[in-house]
Amino acid sequence: MDRLLSMELFVAVVERGSFTAAAEAHGLSQPMVGKHIASLERRLGGRLLARTTRRQQLTELGSHYFQRCQSILAEIRAAESGAELISGAPRGVLRVNASVTFGSLRLAGLLAEFMQTYPDITVDLSLSDELVDLVADGYDAAFRIGRLPDSDLVARPLQPYRMMVAAAPAYLARKGVPRAPADLAAHDCLGFSLWRKDDGWELLGAGEWARASRFQSNHGQALRMVALAGGGIVLQAEALLGDDVAAGRLVEVLPGCLPPPKPMHLIYLQDRRPLPKLRVFIDFILERLGAL
């Protein structure tokens, strides 16, 4: 067994919580991951993980070994980064974070093009609507929508993130077409639960707010599907709803009352000499998504 790979798999099992997740992350089968862990346990002469049918936890030996493996692998990555700086070739794993909607609908396709352009770079894309800590979570770069807090991070402006209000033709035929924000009081406005809980949508005109109704979700795709089924009016990103509006599956309403487009930035750590993999990624994104 490749001892270094075995250590990487052991750390992945602990960090990701299961053999299955570690196997998927490394493109291996679950039995193969198990063989690597068993090989480590034979070499160390003790169990690393106490496993039951429902969960697993580190043994005392496993906890100590896990910490040492993390340190060793971090040193290896640092050594590889140093070699990459010397060679100047864009290579290695690029860890990127983005929101679920933007990441899945806009960014993923661009990353496929990016990897074709730079075949020695591997991309690990994490999608989450929660803010991440680039340092603590180990990301090379992240995409942020909305106003940025003051920080030491570099923030490169990108094209604004536009929103859209829409509903299915069947819903509008049943409930009527709102002509002003005040009309939304008589409608089912689908709520995005990651926005502020006390308020709904801030729309332009008369200072009106639309309150969330009988359905809310923390996922834009779920809201889109309910809207397509005639369940209410949805406020989501143009990237999510634009194709449905163009195809007639949804109808845009209140276009003159939309909130201003949200600013969007590519953020990364300050570094006088960023790694080539990050440098070419920044140039690639700015060329395609940079502010006009």
Side-chain angles (χ1 to χ4, degrees), residues 5-286:
L5 176 57
S6 297
M7 294 169 65
E8 290 178 340
L9 291 172
F10 170 61
V11 169
V13 168
V14 176
E15 292 181 340
R16 296 176 181 267
S18 71
F19 280 54
T20 300
E24 291 176 351
H26 285 78
L28 299 173
S29 66
Q30 184 176 342
M32 179 57 68
V33 173
K35 289 180 180 179
H36 276 273
I37 303 303
S39 174
L40 288 176
E41 291 178 332
R42 287 194 300 270
R43 180 180 294 276
L44 296 171
R47 298 295 295 274
L48 295 172
L49 296 163
R51 298 183 288 275
T52 68
T53 56
R54 291 188 176 182
R55 64 188 182 92
Q56 62 186 26
Q57 62 183 22
L58 288 168
T59 63
E60 183 177 356
L61 171 63
S63 180
H64 175 76
Y65 190 64
F66 173 67
Q67 295 175 10
R68 295 296 298 155
C69 285
Q70 283 185 309
S71 298
I72 291 169
L73 294 174
E75 289 293 330
I76 291 173
R77 285 192 291 269
E80 290 176 342
S81 295
E84 183 180 359
L85 279 173
I86 294 173
S87 68
R91 62 166 58 92
V93 178
L94 185 75
R95 299 196 67 225
V96 180
N97 174 265
S99 68
V100 175
T101 298
F102 169 75
S104 59
L105 297 180
R106 291 291 309 277
L107 183 59
L110 290 176
L111 291 177
E113 179 187 350
F114 176 75
M115 289 187 294
Q116 292 176 3
T117 306
Y118 300 99
D120 293 330
I121 296 179
T122 300
V123 177
D124 181 354
L125 174 63
S126 171
L127 300 181
S128 171
D129 289 320
E130 303 292 340
L131 295 182
V132 299
D133 186 318
L134 267 65
V135 177
D137 298 324
Y139 289 104
D140 296 291
F143 293 81
R144 291 277 172 84
I145 299 170
R147 294 181 180 178
L148 294 176
D150 292 335
S151 74
D152 294 329
L153 298 172
V154 179
R156 306 294 296 272
L158 303 176
Q159 296 168 18
Y161 197 69
R162 303 182 187 280
M163 305 297 285
M164 177 178 284
V165 181
Y171 172 87
L172 296 175
R174 186 174 74 252
K175 301 277 286 190
V177 179
R179 304 297 179 184
D183 297 340
L184 292 173
H187 284 270
D188 298 317
C189 301
L190 307 176
F192 190 51
S193 56
L194 292 182
W195 291 339
R196 291 189 296 174
K197 296 183 180 299
D198 294 337
D199 296 306
W201 313 341
E202 186 176 17
L203 300 177
L204 302 180
E208 294 289 343
W209 290 75
R211 302 289 178 179
S213 65
R214 294 171 55 200
F215 183 86
Q216 67 175 356
S217 173
N218 65 345
H219 201 293
Q221 280 285 12
L223 297 172
R224 168 180 171 266
M225 294 305 296
V226 173
L228 287 170
I233 299 178
V234 62
L235 168 64
Q236 278 292 310
E238 184 180 48
L240 180 63
L241 306 179
D243 288 346
D244 293 318
V245 170
R249 295 184 292 269
L250 293 176
V251 176
E252 185 177 11
V253 297
L254 302 175
C257 301
L258 291 175
K262 297 180 181 179
M264 185 163 66
H265 294 85
L266 173 66
I267 63 171
Y268 50 92
L269 298 175
Q270 294 191 50
D271 193 334
R272 291 172 57 188
R273 294 185 63 197
L275 292 175
K277 65 181 180 182
L278 178 58
R279 186 176 65 247
V280 297
F281 179 70
I282 294 168
D283 293 341
F284 178 88
I285 291 299
L286 292 179

